[in-house]
């Protein structure tokens, strides 16, 4: 595809609901990243995949957050029992390899928990 | 936690003027990147400068890096309305794949 795509673009969830956010990276990109961006702040790292392997999940805020990339392409970020503090924009990025290579970001999913 | 810190937080300039923003960071880095984020859109990579480089140009953008002061600056020359956006610096600490972003500088270019 032309770039990284994410769906849905907007999601409103009631507190306590589970949500699943999807990321389609650029075809052939080995590395995939999830970031969380609170209003007025820069993105904060959540987790990183190299192909299907989740190499780092140190940024996930709690065990309610879970990410997977089973076939090394599409990734899903799942948030269980959503809380109001989970409201943010969730950004997905991919890069050809890890390290210094440029990361290409998707448009993000804006999650609002009411 | 965020490693980078941009200054100023917000900047308003007239079209045609130059815009300068600064970024300070805390730990040693492999490279530093600048990204732009327009309202409602994702981040777009602007420029990457390696730790052994002092200055880099890309079109109307000029980036400097001073590793002794742990700081970088982004200059946008001859600004246009389309440059209205938030600008973020992101560091890539040595041998680390995670980008650490600052809180950003919001630039408004008035017509």
């Amino acid at each position: 595809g032309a770039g990284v795509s994410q769906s849905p673009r907007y999601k409103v969830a009631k507190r306590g609901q589970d949500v699943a956010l999807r990321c389609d990276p650029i075809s052939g990109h080995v590395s995939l990243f999830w970031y969380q961006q609170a209003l007025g702040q820069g993105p904060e790292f959540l987790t990183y995949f190299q192909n299907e392997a989740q190499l780092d999940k140190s940024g996930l805020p709690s065990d309610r957050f879970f990410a997977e990339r089973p076939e090394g392409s599409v990734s899903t970020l799942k948030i269980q029992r959503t809380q109001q503090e989970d409201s943010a924009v969730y950004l997905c990025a991919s890069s050809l390899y890890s390290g210094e290579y440029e990361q290409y970001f998707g448009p993000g999913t804006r999650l609002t928990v009411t | 936690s965020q490693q980078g810190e941009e200054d100023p937080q917000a900047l308003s300039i007239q079209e045609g003027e130059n815009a300068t923003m600064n970024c300070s960071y805390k730990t040693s880095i492999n490279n530093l990147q600048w990204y732009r984020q327009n309202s409602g859109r994702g981040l777009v990579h602007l420029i990457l400068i390696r730790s052994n480089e002092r200055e880099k140009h890309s079109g109307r953008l000029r980036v400097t890096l001073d590793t002794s002061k742990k700081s970088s600056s982004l200059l946008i020359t001859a600004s246009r309305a389309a440059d209205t956006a938030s600008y973020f610096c992101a560091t890539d600490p040595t041998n680390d794949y995670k980008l650490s972003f600052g809180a950003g500088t919001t630039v408004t270019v008035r017509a």
Side-chain angles (χ1 to χ4, degrees):
Chain A
V4 178
S5 61
Q6 293 185 245
S7 61
R9 290 293 311 276
Y10 303 91
K11 176 71 179 176
V12 178
K14 291 187 177 177
R15 192 172 59 179
Q17 281 185 334
D18 298 348
V19 297
L21 313 180
R22 177 187 168 108
C23 171
D24 283 81
I26 294 173
S27 178
H29 276 196
V30 168
S31 298
L32 186 144
F33 306 82
W34 283 97
Y35 293 85
Q36 180 190 58
Q37 185 174 22
L39 189 65
Q41 298 296 315
E44 294 225 15
F45 171 82
L46 292 178
T47 187
Y48 159 65
F49 290 85
Q50 188 167 313
N51 295 307
E52 69 279 2
Q54 188 175 21
L55 298 187
D56 189 332
K57 52 182 182 180
S58 63
L60 296 177
S62 76
D63 59 8
R64 296 186 295 104
F65 286 70
F66 172 75
E68 60 182 6
R69 194 186 184 197
E71 296 178 358
S73 178
V74 171
S75 176
T76 304
L77 176 67
K78 297 178 179 178
I79 308 173
Q80 297 176 323
R81 304 181 304 281
T82 52
Q83 304 294 316
Q84 283 194 319
E85 62 262 28
D86 300 335
S87 295
V89 175
Y90 291 86
L91 296 167
C92 174
S94 69
S95 69
L96 193 56
Y97 297 107
S98 65
E100 69 174 59
Y101 289 89
E102 173 185 345
Q103 293 186 20
Y104 296 83
F105 282 80
T109 294
R110 181 177 296 278
L111 172 65
T112 303
V113 181
T114 60
Chain B
S1 62
Q2 300 189 310
Q3 143 124 291
E5 194 171 306
E6 286 92 341
D7 170 61
Q9 288 187 331
L11 184 59
S12 180
I13 55 173
Q14 201 74 30
E15 202 165 27
E17 292 180 339
N18 296 343
T20 300
M21 61 211 84
N22 304 295
C23 167
S24 58
Y25 57 91
K26 297 171 186 169
T27 64
S28 62
I29 58 170
N30 188 34
N31 64 66
L32 185 143
Q33 304 179 40
W34 284 91
Y35 284 81
R36 180 185 68 214
Q37 186 174 40
N38 296 98
S39 176
R41 296 180 61 183
L43 287 139
V44 174
H45 181 266
L46 296 177
I47 197 165
L48 178 152
I49 186 165
R50 292 184 173 82
S51 58
N52 61 353
E53 297 177 308
R54 291 296 168 258
E55 188 171 312
K56 202 161 182 180
H57 297 254
S58 177
R60 295 183 295 112
L61 304 179
R62 172 177 166 253
V63 169
T64 63
L65 179 64
D66 186 334
T67 53
S68 67
K69 295 181 180 177
K70 292 187 169 60
S71 68
S72 173
S73 68
L74 171 66
L75 167 68
I76 305 172
T77 60
S79 61
R80 305 168 182 169
D83 295 329
T84 294
S86 291
Y87 292 81
F88 296 89
C89 67
T91 55
D92 179 16
T94 306
N95 296 324
D96 194 350
Y97 44 78
K98 295 181 279 194
L99 288 181
S100 180
F101 289 85
T105 292
T106 300
V107 175
T108 303
V109 181
R110 306 185 307 274

